[in-house]
Amino acid sequence: MMKSTDIEKVNSLLGEMDTLKNLITATEAFEDKELHTEIYCEGKNLWFGKDISKEVFITILRELNTQKEKTIRELAELGIEYVE
């Protein structure tokens, strides 16, 4: 039997998984397009061409997938098998 704190943790992790899946899907949809990246910081901006933008998307997807794997491991530690 699970503790109520474990149930709350599982619900939180499942919510995080939903968010990560949505972010991954959205990022993958943008990755296939010829996009440019523009970053604003303290009133200044940087502009990157499409080749660099592709690398930015790859980096974002790698990080999102790493977070997803970590969340799946945390669920497993609580005895929950996550299957998509």
Side-chain angles (χ1 to χ4, degrees), residues 8-26:
E8 290 173 13
K9 178 73 172 171
V10 167
N11 286 332
S12 174
L13 290 169
L14 290 174
E16 185 177 329
M17 283 300 293
D18 286 341
T19 300
L20 288 169
K21 284 177 16 183
N22 289 336
L23 286 170
I24 289 168
T25 300

Side-chain angles (χ1 to χ4, degrees), residues 34-78:
E34 290 186 13
L35 299 174
H36 304 280
T37 301
E38 198 165 351
I39 300 172
Y40 295 95
C41 182
E42 296 179 9
K44 299 178 183 170
N45 64 337
L46 300 170
W47 182 84
F48 299 98
K50 65 181 178 184
D51 291 338
I52 293 175
S53 293
K54 185 97 169 149
E55 291 300 316
V56 170
F57 283 111
I58 289 169
T59 301
I60 291 169
L61 281 171
R62 186 176 10 189
E63 274 304 307
L64 290 172
N65 282 309
T66 298
Q67 289 176 12
K68 183 177 169 185
E69 290 168 12
K70 179 182 174 233
T71 303
I72 290 171
R73 281 193 305 273
E74 288 181 45
L75 284 167
E77 289 171 5
L78 293 168

